[in-house]
Amino acid sequence: LSDTNSSVRLQSVQALLPLYEAPENKDKLELFTVKFKTRMLSLILDQDIEVAAEAVRLLVLLARLGEMEDEECEQVYLLVYSRHRKLGQAAGVFLQERLQARGGGGTEVTRSRRGKLRRPASSLLRDIVTFSVEVELEGVEPFLVDSLQDCAAMRDWEALADLLLEEVGLGEEAFVLEDVEAAVLVALLVAGVKQGVTGQPPEGRGGQKKVLTAREQAAGQAVREEASLVLLPCLPRILNMFLETPDTAAQVMELLQWLDPEVYTVGRQEAALDWLLVHCKEAVMQQNHPS
């Protein structure tokens, strides 16, 4: 694990993965874990990204076995913002599992104030928003979305919209959003739709734009259709929430380029389209004439 040759470090970490994958090995590995956990943790900052990413995968397994302290987990969390995509996505798996273990993946059934059933993904999404706010880094939501690309909750458009629009019901105090949290949620929503539709990593991660295969293009179109059906009907209400916050209103309007506006006419929702245009005009006026 401390060899000067990165290929040796990589093979050492990879050799440990199947051992820690088996829960029955926990007791047998206890002495090894105690002696070398500090070294395993330090490898997440290895100069070789392959080694660092595999080290994060190893720590995912240690965490499942209850071998990670909170302070140690926090060192891994911030890697979701790494400019190296492979490392960021490995850290995304770690973050998602830790949030779920703390209760973010709970299945308790609650309803909003008007009686709408909350989606199962709501609690996890709420915890992701809290994490993003606590990190206190601006404009990095696309990196977090990319790191959590295998997290199905991040593409539960209805759950995301409900967190913004549905007033909290009985026992839903945890779903109350402060203004800054609502703004972060919008940024995550926009980044999620954009990446889902375009299939491209965020700027600053992943190098040049990749050429999409026919299958990837079809997947992007499917995301566009699904997101459009869910988000376009409620987009006027979301935009109306942020008319006094020009930056967030601009992000909401950015969604339009990744959605299919024909949903308004096909679904006979011309009234929603009219309200959206009214609010767009108001948002533009706010931009041009700040109070």
Side-chain angles (χ1 to χ4, degrees):
L1 292 174
S2 300
D3 199 279
T4 56
N5 189 319
S6 63
S7 66
V8 175
R9 297 195 301 276
L10 178 62
Q11 291 179 50
S12 298
V13 174
Q14 291 175 334
L16 289 173
L17 291 173
L19 298 177
Y20 279 99
E21 281 177 347
E24 62 270 19
N25 288 339
K26 178 179 179 180
D27 292 339
K28 300 174 185 178
L29 292 166
E30 184 176 359
L31 292 177
F32 184 90
T33 303
V34 170
K35 185 172 183 179
F36 292 104
K37 185 170 69 167
T38 299
R39 177 57 186 154
M40 288 187 275
L41 186 61
S42 70
L43 284 173
I44 65 176
L45 299 179
D46 197 276
Q47 62 182 0
D48 188 306
I49 298 304
E50 289 289 331
V51 175
E54 291 295 275
V56 172
R57 286 185 59 205
L58 181 59
L59 295 182
V60 169
L61 300 177
L62 262 69
R64 289 176 186 172
L65 296 175
E67 298 287 0
M68 294 284 290
E69 302 293 335
D70 289 345
E71 311 83 66
E72 295 168 337
C73 291
E74 290 171 3
Q75 297 179 50
V76 185
Y77 293 157
L78 290 180
L79 293 178
V80 296
Y81 299 111
S82 169
R83 65 185 179 87
H84 299 287
R85 195 179 195 198
K86 189 170 186 177
L87 180 57
Q89 292 179 344
V93 173
F94 186 94
L95 174 63
Q96 179 184 346
E97 291 200 8
R98 289 302 85 211
L99 292 179
Q100 289 177 320
R102 282 171 21 190
T107 57
E108 182 181 353
V109 176
T110 62
R111 295 179 181 273
S112 68
R113 185 174 180 180
R114 71 183 182 97
K116 184 175 182 181
L117 195 67
R118 289 287 177 183
R119 303 273 297 175
S122 299
S123 293
L124 177 56
L125 288 171
R126 180 65 179 91
D127 283 350
I128 291 172
V129 170
T130 300
F131 167 79
S132 184
V133 171
E134 289 178 347
V135 170
E136 296 183 336
L137 294 174
E138 293 186 6
V140 293
E141 289 83 8
F143 277 50
L144 180 56
V145 167
D146 187 53
S147 293
L148 292 169
Q149 72 163 5
D150 292 330
C151 176
M154 295 302 295
R155 290 190 182 173
D156 191 329
W157 315 122
E158 184 176 353
L160 287 159
D162 285 351
L163 283 175
L164 284 168
L165 297 173
E166 292 289 328
E167 294 186 52
V168 297
L170 186 64
E172 289 198 322
E173 291 77 11
F175 290 135
V176 175
L177 295 177
E178 302 293 337
D179 290 346
V180 65
E181 293 173 323
V184 165
L185 181 54
V186 168
L188 291 171
L189 174 61
V190 174
V193 172
K194 178 180 179 181
Q195 181 158 344
V197 172
T198 66
Q200 300 292 342
E203 186 176 346
R205 175 187 277 185
Q208 295 180 340
K209 286 188 176 182
K210 63 178 183 177
V211 178
L212 301 182
T213 64
R215 184 176 181 179
E216 289 172 330
Q217 292 177 19
Q221 182 59 31
V223 171
R224 184 172 186 246
E225 292 174 0
E226 181 185 354
S228 298
L229 287 172
V230 174
L231 296 175
L232 282 175
C234 61
L235 204 59
R237 293 172 59 200
I238 296 176
L239 182 55
N240 186 55
M241 290 177 60
F242 298 102
L243 289 178
E244 302 297 325
T245 315
D247 289 345
T248 305
Q251 285 185 309
V252 175
M253 289 190 290
E254 184 183 343
L255 267 176
L256 290 171
Q257 64 185 301
W258 314 118
L259 301 177
D260 182 3
E262 288 189 8
V263 166
Y264 285 126
T265 52
V266 173
R268 297 186 177 182
Q269 300 185 44
E270 289 84 355
L273 175 59
D274 290 341
W275 275 113
L276 178 63
L277 294 174
V278 168
H279 293 322
C280 284
K281 182 178 179 180
E282 292 179 25
V284 171
M285 292 178 64
Q286 287 280 359
Q287 291 272 11
N288 294 333
H289 304 284
S291 56

